[in-house]
Amino acid sequence: MKGVVILGSTGSVGASTLDVIARHRDALRVVALTARSNDARLFEQCLEHRPDVAVLVDWLAAGRLAEQLQAAGLATRVLRGEAALDEVVRLPETDVVMAAIVGAAGLLPTFAAARAGKRLLLANKEALVMSGSLLIEAVRASGAQLIPIDSEHNAIFQCLPAAAVAGQRPPGLRRILLTASGGPFLGTPAEQLCAVTPEQACAHPNWVMGRKISVDSATLMNKGLELIEACWLFGVTPDDIEVVVHPQSVVHSMVEYLAGSVLAQLGNPDMRTPISHALSWPERWESGVEPLDIVGQGRLTFEAPDLERFPCLGLAQRAARAGGTMPTILNAANETAVQSFLDGHLNFTSIPTVIEGVLNCAAAAPVPNLDTILAVDRAARQAAANLIARLDGAAPDSVAGALG
Ligand code: NDP
Ligand code: MG
């Protein structure tokens, strides 16, 4: 019996994880479920999955949850505040931690899991983007197992030799072909992108995901973050990775070896496949995902990304090559700009403008420790917020001028 903690259980990845766990109650037990403030959803999840502990970061929401659980007669303990996330991760009965909090908020509990030597199922790509060298070092030092959940990275992991080590380039590898769906605006003309709404940006053609990653998919920043993620996970450089747009989202990525073999992992676009793979690895368990109808699918197509319409991918490549604190700065500027877009204060096409403005003012510095990362993250968010304040209300065609 393995004990599982889900960081971010009320989100999209969290819910898919619970769906897989419910199919394997003989082998998996929920130790703790955690969320920020969604007490209603967490209460439902507690009723169904009976965790030992439920954590809400928001104190008022935690109070409501405790009352509801008591009234329902459940023994689940409620903890509150950020420190409780680290606490449940470190419990001796926790074997596996699903890191599925969105954004930089997931950084510290993800580190807690890595340092405690747990099996770390990493969906929270922002943690690796912000502090890849430190996280890989923490995993190595504690002997933790790091298994990627991001569908592309899980696909790559599945195509690597069994002896592959996190952070080390596998022998014989020539390059990685990182597939991208292209998002909801793949065919949208450049002049229409300025006016797209958050609802349109979040309507992904193939995947149902949280709002932040949905916007990242629409700008192609998601692929840029994934490129940086892949560099850390597999010990490669940005030049070892080719991004390929594959609108059907059936091939989840490919690994090319020196001998010319290209190995791919295919399947329906459903996060329960990588989640089930990581929970059961090195075994392979049933996940509830429909079998792939490859004949019905008919055609699989591949094309190069359009960096002019989607400049975020190029900005991420630039940050990846610069290294040091640059990816942290990129991530902070992106999170700030995306939230502002979702809140209706920024145009879709101003997201890369803000990120570029922040990168242009920054220089890459070494990454000695987490405190440096957190300070750089704060400063970059402030810089992005300042730029957004100058852009708010500016006409789209005067945006570049507003930043100059
Ligand atoms: P969601 O927005 O659906 O869920 C986010 C989860 O994180 C919720 O449980 C939320 O709680 C919790 N959360 C948010 N902020 C905080 C905070 N400050 N402190 C503690 N908990 C917090 O996100 P997704 O599930 O879509 O994505 C999660 C991560 O997985 C992201 O890093 C994303 O990039 C990655 N990922 C997601 C994929 C997908 O298919 N969705 C695919 C590949 C990677 P609450 O509900 O209370 O706000
Ligand atoms: Mg992905």
Side-chain angles (χ1 to χ4, degrees), residues 95-394:
D95 303 296
V96 180
V97 176
M98 167 58 81
I101 292 175
V102 60
L107 185 72
L108 295 179
T110 300
F111 262 87
R115 288 176 176 148
K118 308 294 183 181
R119 176 178 290 198
L120 172 57
L121 312 191
L122 188 65
N124 178 223
K125 65 189 83 184
E126 295 90 349
L128 257 186
V129 170
M130 292 175 72
S131 56
S133 61
L134 300 175
L135 190 60
I136 295 291
E137 173 54 26
V139 164
R140 198 200 54 74
S142 71
Q145 288 173 332
L146 177 59
I147 307 189
I149 293 298
D150 215 342
S151 57
E152 296 77 2
H153 306 73
N154 184 270
I156 294 162
F157 182 87
Q158 292 195 45
C159 295
L160 294 183
V165 177
Q168 290 182 22
R169 187 188 180 98
L173 181 140
R174 176 180 285 152
R175 62 180 179 145
I176 287 172
L177 296 154
L178 187 66
T179 53
S181 68
F185 306 132
L186 180 60
T188 306
E191 62 276 12
Q192 290 175 19
L193 285 177
C194 172
V196 300
T197 64
E199 275 53 49
Q200 289 170 311
C202 290
H204 196 281
N206 305 337
W207 299 94
V208 180
M209 308 182 285
R211 284 167 77 77
K212 189 265 177 179
I213 183 176
S214 295
V215 176
D216 286 346
S217 296
T219 61
L220 286 202
M221 179 55 91
N222 185 47
K223 216 43 58 180
L225 299 177
E226 291 185 358
L227 178 135
I228 299 169
E229 186 185 8
C231 288
W232 289 119
L233 283 171
F234 308 119
V236 298
T237 69
D239 295 329
D240 295 321
I241 301 174
E242 180 174 346
V243 173
V244 185
V245 174
H246 166 52
Q248 297 82 20
S249 297
V250 167
V251 175
H252 297 301
S253 278
M254 297 171 257
V255 177
E256 182 173 330
Y257 288 93
L258 291 173
S261 288
V262 179
L263 303 192
Q265 185 261 345
L266 283 70
N268 286 320
D270 187 323
M271 287 305 292
R272 290 176 300 175
T273 295
I275 291 167
S276 163
H277 167 264
L279 283 169
S280 61
W281 182 84
E283 295 175 23
R284 289 178 184 271
W285 294 348
E286 155 68 20
S287 66
V289 175
E290 289 292 311
L292 176 64
D293 177 8
I294 193 96
V295 172
Q297 188 67 45
R299 271 162 55 86
L300 300 179
T301 61
F302 302 92
E303 60 191 271
D306 180 346
L307 294 186
E308 297 216 339
R309 268 188 311 142
F310 302 104
C312 282
L313 178 55
L315 293 172
Q317 285 169 325
R318 174 178 150 192
R321 291 197 178 99
T325 48
M326 251 350 187
T328 313
I329 295 166
L330 173 95
N331 181 68
N334 180 58
E335 282 193 31
T336 310
V338 168
Q339 190 58 53
S340 191
F341 168 68
L342 287 170
D343 292 342
H345 299 308
L346 197 67
N347 292 321
F348 183 76
T349 44
S350 297
I351 295 173
T353 310
V354 169
I355 298 165
E356 186 172 13
V358 174
L359 289 183
N360 285 348
C361 301
V367 178
N369 54 44
L370 263 188
D371 288 342
T372 304
I373 292 290
L374 295 173
V376 167
D377 175 72
R378 273 194 303 273
R381 279 169 200 272
Q382 189 57 56
N386 293 345
L387 287 182
I388 291 166
R390 283 160 62 186
L391 295 182
D392 198 9

